[in-house]
């Protein structure tokens, strides 16, 4: 089995699990789903720079600065941003979940939200 | 003052008056202002009159809509002059009349405001020099008439009538707009002259039929032509001055005005002939017949109006120059006598309190003058000689007879015309007989008497006009008719008009005979109806299209209801399903639409056992999370395991910064979730609907499958990107060996700026969402008490460790921060480490202690972080470089030998501070929640 | 001074609110007056910058700003073209009105209102300005996060539930955005939109399907923001729950989606390219149907807020229809329509907060409230006429121009019919609700907000009609500019960074 296939499979499984949980009716489960989904997305972003092993993008003197010797740093930077943002949003959603639970006496997503 | 400015002023006067009225309270003042505005308009028109009668066309033009190449253009030609004089002349009389008609408690300023608004829009319609502008004012007349019909807005029927009128005419206006746009497309311009010039082009274009149909829908809805007539009777709920003005003299004439206006461009062909004449014919007969059976005075007049509008439409449909002349003539006559009749009806209602002809009888005794006036007007309506109605009706009969082009109509039209004439005489007769004779009044609320002097003046003036025109047509109306007709036919001058004689006596001829038949037949018909079936007993009135309209509307609403329920059922998961499905379909569509070929592929690399086993653990734990997601705590642990594998992935595939960040974020997230879980149910209830789970599963699998397919596609495709630039520039120009960190703080600094703003806001939001929660009276209080997880029980060892850990963590975080530019680390990671230290404190020492430990307002931290980061950027602006331009200098430090201090590091400091602020805000908010619970 | 201002013009709309937010946080919640002062300074500065931007672009410039002095496409570039200039000014104007309204209704005293408000503005401006796809994502997140905070002010049951839907839906949207943007990077190796628009066309056939798929996912994301069918459901609930001044600010949120869609179809996948063709095929169907469905929603709306929500969806449908038609006329019409409809919906939200509920209305006396009734109804009338595209206001003008553009499209009948029919439905809807609100009882009292904010917006709408000529000349130019992606490409990629600041030699 090739690395490419393995990575693709991993992304697929994580996405599937994430989406399924996101479609649950209770907010905490949705949060779990979103976390899984963000794992999937982060890995997806990361590998848009293709596969590189033992080529950390930290320039060592003497090693020519090219994609042949270093992993693509850009997607890594993007993933960093993505991680931070999804972390923040998870916190927000958790807070809302707690609030909703206290307002509704249950963390089931109510239908009043948009009707 | 130049004529063109005068023209503009003529249009603006009523609107100015309306605006002034907004600040007027008193009834008298309101009436005076309205009257002055109208009379001033008449004066301006008089000033312009000589030029127009001399055959000039006065124009005003100023640029307005360059995109449509449409100017704000006005034109005053014969036709416009005729209508303008009707609008202003009758307008002035209506103002006088209305001042007396309105009751004490009717808000008169509002009435006259809208009346003037209507006057202005109506003037706009007739003065517009291009079709777009015409449509604009066209719709405005509809809107203002809505306001006037619903003037008594406490009456349900007034509101309904107004709504119906606006809906029908508004729809017509939209059709007209479409037609106009098509005309513009074909003719290449909306200016009337250009459209007239493009007559041939229009006729030859494939769009000609749709154009005519759309325009006619507009005209017919406005002029209440069958089958769009039904709104007019219901508009009678309006105050009578409004009916007299809008529904006899002006607004309903807008439709026939449009016919007249566009006749030169669209007229003179078979489609026009058949559509217009047939609509006119049907309406003429239908209106006349239904009018006989009305009991309501205004109802009778309304249907009579419909019938007369049909007559005018028919004349334009007959499509001969003479017919057009007759049409224009009848527009004038009808306006005059019908306005006076409405006013008379209003007087009667005003003085008797009723409009029902079954109650109103024998008013001749009590109000003889009004009666006389009404009778003369009725005579005009019936087409009795010496009244103006007679002349145009004669011309009309003559034209119906002149129809030798179309075999079929040669006979039917004259016959139909005569029948309509008979009916017309009949209902006029009923008006007179029922109201003024026919015994004594029945059950009137008031005792009838003559109206106030000045309330009758308008009627008197109009009636006198009827007679003057009727007796000396050539001297009174001749010139006006001539220029109007000439303008309608777009003739160079009045001399080019076809010959017609305005006289009462043309000798004994067929038209006269037809008039005679109409007279005798009408009288006979009315008497017959009176004798055989007493009209008063007729309750079932024909032609009630309101029911159909209402059911139509409600049907629409029901459909809309259904549609809305389907698209918006309020279930979040439904929406998410839709979004995900849309995305999947979109992705597939992308591939579907694009012919794909196989291209160059990179050959895959083998995966060793270690990697595979790790991956399998990750996937397994993810799946496990889904399987037991109801047991939330367990699910969390499995989630953490998955996160760990993700971290390892980053490690293995050479992304140390990501690995570090992921690991730290993982820790913080898990702690947050644990804390949150203390205020949420531990287990998630089992959901019903097995099939729903299957649907979700299918959706999820297809999403996952799709994404992994995309991943594989990308991974196996050759790649060249902008990244080498970063690798090359990071050391020489970025001043750091760690390309990722340099991208974060330098190459793409704005991203990071936004990112920390988001993190900061997240903290703020968590704080404000959880603020002011009273757990004491929340339903879950007890269950929480019972289930405080181990993690938050104060434990000696942990607390000792954490207190030792705190300074260490701080050192570590500073170390990470400093080395970040060259090695894995950086402000963000440092910030997280720092926060985790504080959190450990919290977890170890339990609720409330964090506040004691670090009494801080973390919102301020967020502020400072953003401020530092922002100022770093502005700093470079100060020295004339773009925002966030970085520089660096190499310093010698004791421990770490050579450290380049890049200005970007100050930016990173901002990141560091902001991250601590954001993270701690969220955590301490939940911590406080804990305290609240503890304190109660 | 002046040329320094012009030089930094594109970054100012981002820096000003950012610094304002940071300062107001540092000042702290306790000093509301100072926070408000800061906010006002920022908003007024933004107005100034907006005007300057209009002048600058109107005189033919398209100024590109290389943040951090890094050459595009490597660094992040901001592009100030006519479209973004228009949006900047509109945003600043709405912001001023909303701030005034919020201050008068004591909303500014709410937790972190001012910082969140300012960051919302930063996000909006950034989204309008950036020429980098991933940076667009970041600014989307900024404005979304801020909107979550503003929506959740004084959270009660309704707000919390609405927020739940709003947040989760947008988080899914963000995930999709990330996938789409980075997928494009994986295919083309760049993130700069101008660069993308060149590289996508140069792609080998094998990669093209992926690029188009990415485009469609991107479109899905923007369609969520623009509330396009079938992704419009979040809107009405959110707007209904939000405090009305906040909702007025939210009237801008859908427009971000619209602008993003315009960028997608004019810059990333410009007219005539393989991606564009495919996407237009879909939009030209989806957008008109959106209009119709929204009109249906409006017909059954029983509350003013809901009605406004649906009107916003309808206008989004109208705008995207115009974008899908794609010719210069339709685009120009769309921009003109956008200005009016945004102001009108914002104004209506303020009016909605002014109209007290029916029961209260019944009790109020007829005569005493007559002027109130008059002004409120007059304002309502103007806005309603704008949103139902009744002449003479900008709604009608924009619609007429769009229809004139539609006449040149392949399916003029379909488009015209859909536009007009939905227009009629909207008219009926407004007449029904309007007559219920203003006719069945004679008075309606005003909340603390007062007339000034609404009157300002109404004045803006009227101005759009009176000064249509210069405005349309600008939108016409803007449309032409949008139709020529090479202008953007040349300016963004051609912009050279300044000679770098003197740096000491790299370390050994």
């Amino acid at each position: 089995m090739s690395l490419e296939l393995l990575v693709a499979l991993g992304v697929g499984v994580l996405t599937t699990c994430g989406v399924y949980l996101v479609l649950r009716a209770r907010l905490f489960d949705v949060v779990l789903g979103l976390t899984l989904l963000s794992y999937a997305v982060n890995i997806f972003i990361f590998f848009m720079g293709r596969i590189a092993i033992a080529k950390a993008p930290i320039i060592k003197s003497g090693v020519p600065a090219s994609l042949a010797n270093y992993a693509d740093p850009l997607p890594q930077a993007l993933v960093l941003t993505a991680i931070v943002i999804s972390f923040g949003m998870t916190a927000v959603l958790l807070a809302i979940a707690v609030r909703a639970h206290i307002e509704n006496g249950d963390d089931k997503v109510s239908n009043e939200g948009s009707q | 003052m130049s004529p063109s400015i005068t023209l503009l002023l003529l249009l603006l006067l009523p609107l100015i008056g309306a605006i002034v009225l907004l600040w007027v309270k008193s009834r008298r003042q309101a009436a005076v202002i309205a009257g002055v505005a109208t009379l001033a308009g008449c004066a301006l028109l008089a000033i312009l009159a000589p030029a127009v009668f001399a055959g000039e066309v006065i124009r005003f033009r100023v640029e307005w809509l360059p995109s449509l190449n449409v100017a704000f253009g006005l034109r005053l030609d014969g036709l416009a002059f005729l209508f303008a004089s009707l609008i202003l002349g009758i307008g002035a009389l209506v103002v006088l009349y209305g001042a007396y008609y309105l009751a004490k408690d009717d808000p008169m300023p509002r009435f006259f405001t809208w009346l003037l608004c209507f006057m202005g829009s109506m003037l706009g319609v007739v003065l517009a020099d291009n079709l777009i502008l015409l449509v604009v004012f066209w719709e405005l007349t509809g809107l203002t008439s809505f306001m006037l019909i619903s003037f008594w807005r406490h009456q349900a029927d007034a509101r309904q009538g107004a709504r119906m009128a606006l809906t029908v005419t508004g729809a017509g206006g939209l059709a007209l707009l479409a037609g106009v746009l098509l005309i513009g497309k074909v003719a290449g311009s909306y200016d009337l002259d250009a459209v007239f010039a493009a007559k041939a082009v229009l006729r030859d274009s494939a769009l000609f039929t749709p154009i005519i149909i759309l325009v006619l829908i507009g005209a017919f809805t406005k002029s209440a032509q069958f089958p769009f007539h039904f709104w007019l009777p219901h508009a009678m709920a309006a105050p009578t001055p409004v009916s007299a003005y809008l529904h006899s003299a002006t607004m309903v004439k807008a439709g026939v005005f449009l016919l007249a206006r566009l006749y030169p461009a669209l007229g003179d062909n078979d489609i026009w002939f058949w559509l217009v004449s047939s609509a006119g014919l049907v309406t003429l007969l239908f209106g006349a017949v239904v009018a006989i059976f009305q009991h309501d005075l205004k109802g009778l007049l309304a249907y009579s109006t419909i019938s007369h509008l049909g007559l005018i439409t028919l004349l334009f449909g007959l499509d001969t120059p003479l017919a057009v002349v007759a049409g224009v003539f009848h527009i004038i006559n009808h306006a005059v006598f019908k306005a006076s009749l409405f006013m008379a009806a209003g007087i009667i209602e005003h003085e008797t309190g009723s409009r029902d002809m079954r109650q109103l009888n024998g008013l001749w005794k009590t109000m003889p003058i009004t009666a006389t006036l009404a009778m003369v007007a009725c005579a005009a309506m019936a087409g009795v000689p010496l009244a103006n109605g007679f002349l145009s009706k004669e011309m009309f009969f003559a034209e119906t007879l002149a129809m030798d082009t179309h075999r079929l109509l040669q006979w039917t039209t004259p016959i139909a015309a005569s029948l309509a004439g008979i009916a017309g005489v009949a209902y006029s007769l009923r008006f007179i007989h029922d109201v003024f004779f026919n015994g004594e009044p029945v059950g009137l609320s008031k005792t009838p008497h003559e109206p106030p002097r000045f309330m009758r003046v308008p009627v008197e003036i109009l009636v006198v006009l009827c007679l003057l025109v009727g007796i000396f047509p050539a001297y009174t109306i001749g010139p006006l008719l001539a220029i109007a007709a000439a303008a309608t036919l777009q003739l160079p001058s009045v001399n080019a008009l076809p010959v017609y004689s305005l006289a009462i006596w043309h000798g004994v001829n067929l038209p006269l005979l037809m008039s005679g038949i109409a007279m005798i037949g009408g009288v006979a018909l009315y008497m017959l109806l009176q004798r055989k079936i007493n009209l008063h007993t007729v309750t079932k009135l024909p032609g009630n299209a309101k029911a159909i309209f209402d059911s139509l509307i409600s049907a629409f609403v029901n459909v809309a209801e259904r549609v809305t329920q389907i698209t918006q059922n309020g279930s979040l998961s439904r929406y998410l399903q839709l979004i995900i499905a849309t995305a999947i379909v979109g992705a597939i569509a992308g591939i579907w639409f694009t012919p794909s070929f196989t291209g160059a592929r990179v050959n895959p690399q083998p995966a060793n056992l270690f990697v595979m086993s790790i991956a399998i653990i990750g996937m397994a734990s993810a799946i496990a999370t889904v399987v037991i997601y109801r047991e939330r705590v367990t699910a969390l642990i499995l989630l953490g395991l998955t996160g760990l594998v993700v971290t390892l992935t980053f490690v293995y595939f050479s992304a140390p910064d990501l690995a570090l960040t992921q690991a730290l974020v993982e820790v913080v997230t898990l702690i947050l979730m644990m804390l949150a879980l203390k205020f949420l149910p531990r287990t998630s209830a089992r959901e019903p609907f097995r099939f729903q789970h299957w649907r979700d599963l299918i959706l999820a699998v297809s999403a996952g499958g799709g994404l992994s397919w995309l991943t594989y596609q990308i991974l196996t495709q050759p790649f060249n990107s902008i990244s080498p630039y970063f690798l090359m520039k990071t050391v020489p120009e970025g001043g750091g060996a760690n390309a990722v960190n340099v991208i974060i703080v330098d190459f793409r600094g704005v991203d990071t700026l936004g990112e920390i703003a988001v993190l900061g806001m997240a903290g703020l939001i968590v704080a404000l969402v959880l603020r002011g929660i009273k757990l004491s009276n929340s339903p879950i209080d007890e269950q929480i008490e019972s289930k405080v997880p181990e993690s938050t029980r104060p434990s000696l060892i942990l607390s000792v460790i954490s207190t030792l850990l705190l300074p260490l963590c701080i050192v570590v975080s500073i170390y990470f921060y400093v080395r970040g530019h060259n090695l894995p680390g950086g402000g963000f990671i440092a910030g997280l480490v720092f926060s985790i230290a504080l959190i450990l404190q919290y977890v170890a020492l339990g609720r409330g202690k964090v506040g004691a430990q670090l009494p801080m307002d973390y919102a301020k931290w967020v502020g400072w972080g953003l401020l530092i980061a922002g100022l770093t950027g502005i700093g470079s602006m100060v020295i004339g470089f773009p925002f966030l331009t970085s520089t660096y200098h190499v310093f010698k430090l004791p421990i770490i030998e050579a450290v380049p201090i890049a200005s970007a590091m100050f930016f990173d400091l901002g990141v560091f501070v902001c991250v601590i602020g954001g993270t701690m805000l969220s955590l301490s908010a939940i911590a406080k929640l804990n305290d609240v619970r503890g304190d109660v | 001074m002046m040329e320094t201002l012009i030089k930094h013009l594109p970054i100012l709309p981002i820096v000003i609110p950012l610094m304002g937010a940071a300062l107001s946080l540092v000042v702290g919640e306790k000093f509301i007056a100072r926070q408000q002062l800061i906010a006002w300074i920022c908003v007024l500065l933004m107005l100034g910058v907006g005007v300057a931007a209009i002048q600058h672009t109107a005189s033919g410039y398209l100024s590109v700003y290389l943040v951090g002095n890094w050459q595009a496409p490597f660094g992040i570039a901001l592009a100030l073209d006519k479209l973004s200039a228009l949006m900047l000014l509109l945003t600043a104007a709405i912001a001023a009105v909303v701030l005034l309204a919020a201050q008068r209704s004591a909303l500014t005293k709410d937790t972190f209102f001012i910082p969140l408000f300012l960051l919302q503005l930063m996000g909006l401006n950034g989204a309008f300005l950036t020429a980098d796809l991933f940076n667009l994502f970041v600014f989307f997140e900024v404005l979304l996060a801020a909107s979550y905070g503003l929506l959740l002010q004084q959270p009660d049951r309704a707000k919390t539930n609405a927020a739940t839907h709003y947040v989760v839906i947008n988080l899914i949207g963000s995930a999709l955005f990330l996938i789409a943007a980075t997928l494009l990077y994986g295919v083309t190796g760049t993130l700069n939109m101008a660069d993308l628009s060149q590289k996508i066309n140069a792609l080998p056939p094998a990669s093209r399907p992926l690029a188009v798929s990415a485009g469609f996912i991107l479109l899905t994301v923007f369609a969520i923001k623009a509330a396009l069918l079938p992704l419009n459901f979040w809107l009405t609930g959110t707007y209904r729950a939000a405090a009305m001044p906040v909702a007025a600010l939210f009237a801008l949120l859908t427009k971000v989606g619209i602008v993003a869609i315009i960028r997608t179809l004019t810059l990333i996948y410009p007219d005539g390219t393989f991606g564009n063709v495919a996407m237009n095929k879909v939009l030209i169907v989806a957008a008109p149907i959106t209009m119709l469905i929204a009109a249906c929603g409006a017909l059954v709306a029983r509350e003013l807020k809901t009605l406004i929500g649906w009107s916003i969806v309808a206008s989004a449908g109208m705008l995207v229809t115009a974008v899908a038609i794609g010719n210069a006329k339709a685009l120009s019409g769309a921009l003109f329509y956008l200005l009016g409809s945004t102001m009108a919906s914002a104004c209506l939200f303020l009016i909605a907060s002014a109209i007290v509920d029916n029961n209260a209305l019944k009790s109020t006396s007829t005569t005493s409230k007559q002027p109130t009734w008059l002004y409120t109804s007059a304002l309502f009338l103007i806005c309603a006429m704008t949103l139902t595209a009744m002449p003479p206001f900008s709604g009608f003008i924009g619609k007429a121009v769009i229809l004139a553009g539609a006449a040149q499209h392949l399916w003029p009948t379909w488009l015209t019919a859909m536009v007009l029919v939905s227009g009629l439905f909207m008219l009926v809807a407004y007449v029904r609700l309007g007559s219920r609100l203003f006719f069945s009882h004679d008075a309606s009292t005003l909340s603390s907000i007062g007339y000034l904010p609404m009157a300002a917006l109404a004045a803006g709408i009227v101005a759009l009609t009176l000064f249509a000529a210069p405005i349309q000349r600008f939108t016409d130019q803007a449309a032409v500019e949008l139709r020529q992606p090479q202008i953007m490409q040349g300016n963004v990629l051609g912009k050279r960074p300044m000679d770098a600041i003197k740096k000491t030699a790299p370390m050994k």
Side-chain angles (χ1 to χ4, degrees), chain B residues 600-838:
Chain B
R601 296 279 176 189
V602 298
N603 43 353
Q605 328 169 25
N608 62 36
L609 202 61
F610 169 70
V611 180
M612 279 176 81
S613 46
I614 296 291
I616 288 163
I617 295 172
M619 299 186 221
S621 55
I623 294 166
T625 319
V626 173
V627 174
I628 52 92
Y629 74 92
R630 283 198 203 80
E631 289 307 322
R632 291 179 168 175
V633 181
T634 333
L636 266 188
I637 293 158
L638 286 163
L639 190 70
L641 186 55
T642 321
L644 182 62
V645 171
V646 173
T647 315
L648 290 178
T649 318
F650 291 143
V651 173
Y652 184 79
F653 292 101
S654 51
D657 284 270
L658 289 192
L660 256 172
T661 318
Q662 179 66 45
L664 293 169
V665 168
E666 202 57 42
V667 174
V668 182
T669 314
L670 284 179
I671 294 173
L672 263 175
M673 287 187 167
M674 285 312 266
L675 290 174
L677 209 46
K678 291 163 66 181
F679 308 97
L680 293 171
R682 278 328 162 64
T683 59
S684 170
R686 178 175 293 278
E687 293 172 39
F689 302 127
R690 305 300 311 155
F691 86 94
Q692 184 187 342
H693 289 257
W694 284 111
R695 187 184 54 200
D696 295 349
L697 201 58
I698 291 162
L699 199 59
V701 168
S702 40
L707 204 54
S708 58
W709 185 82
L710 286 175
T711 319
Y712 189 76
Q713 288 301 313
I714 292 294
L715 286 179
T716 53
Q717 275 189 8
F719 185 49
N720 45 12
S721 96
I722 58 175
S723 296
Y725 178 92
F726 303 117
L727 294 171
M728 281 180 287
K729 302 268 181 170
T730 178
V731 173
E733 291 183 28
N738 181 355
V740 175
N741 181 271
V742 175
I743 291 178
I744 291 272
V745 298
D746 195 346
F747 291 106
R748 299 185 65 91
V750 196
D751 279 353
T752 313
L753 202 55
E755 162 196 335
I756 59 174
V758 171
L759 190 60
M761 276 191 276
L764 300 179
I765 297 167
V766 173
L768 78 87
V769 168
L770 298 182
R771 186 168 290 191
I773 289 184
K774 291 278 168 291
L775 278 173
S776 49
N777 46 30
S778 82
I780 52 159
D781 192 10
E782 306 70 21
Q783 86 188 45
I784 293 166
E785 279 299 346
S786 56
K787 309 194 188 124
V788 181
E790 296 310 311
S791 59
T792 57
R793 292 275 169 73
S795 93
L796 185 65
I797 316 95
L798 244 176
S799 62
V800 172
I801 291 174
S802 63
T803 10
L804 294 178
L805 223 55
L806 185 57
L808 179 63
C809 284
I810 293 171
V811 172
V812 171
S813 75
I814 290 169
Y815 170 68
F816 269 131
Y817 165 72
V818 171
R819 66 169 232 166
H821 221 49
N822 293 317
L823 294 161
F828 182 77
I829 291 172
L832 278 181
V833 173
F834 198 102
S835 319
I836 289 176
L838 296 177

Side-chain angles (χ1 to χ4, degrees), chain B residues 63-65 67 139 153 163 185 568 587 597 717 721-723 733 746 748 750-751 771 860 880 882-883, chain C residues 7 26 29 65 68 70 111 132 135 185 189 205 213 233 236 310 329 407 435 442 465 469 472-473 476 503:
Chain B
E63 184 188 21
W64 188 37
L65 305 178
S67 304
E139 292 285 32
R153 49 174 190 260
R163 275 211 290 272
K185 187 190 179 189
Q568 192 132 12
F597 311 95
Q717 275 189 8
S721 96
I722 58 175
S723 296
E733 291 183 28
D746 195 346
R748 299 185 65 91
V750 196
D751 279 353
R771 186 168 290 191
K860 279 203 167 61
F883 186 70
Chain C
K7 182 174 153 199
V26 171
E29 295 176 67
Y65 193 82
W70 296 108
T111 339
D132 183 285
N135 190 235
Y185 173 77
S213 298
F233 25 68
T236 43
W310 283 116
K329 223 179 200 46
S435 56
D442 282 351
T465 309
Q472 278 199 336
R473 257 184 254 108
D476 284 353
K503 292 180 175 179

Side-chain angles (χ1 to χ4, degrees), chain B residues 60 125 698:
Chain B
F60 171 84
V125 170
I698 291 162

Side-chain angles (χ1 to χ4, degrees), chain B residues 860-919:
Chain B
K860 279 203 167 61
W861 283 58
V862 175
W864 281 114
L866 292 175
L867 206 57
I868 295 168
L871 286 173
T872 320
I874 294 175
S876 57
M877 285 164 82
V878 173
I879 55 169
F881 279 82
F883 186 70
L884 275 180
T885 307
S886 73
T887 178
Y888 65 89
H889 186 77
V890 183
F891 290 98
K892 289 283 178 199
L893 289 184
I895 314 108
I896 330 145
E897 65 287 1
V899 183
I901 304 297
S903 67
M905 292 192 75
F906 293 105
F907 181 77
D908 220 8
L909 179 65
V911 176
F912 176 72
V913 176
C914 193
V915 168
I916 297 175
T919 320

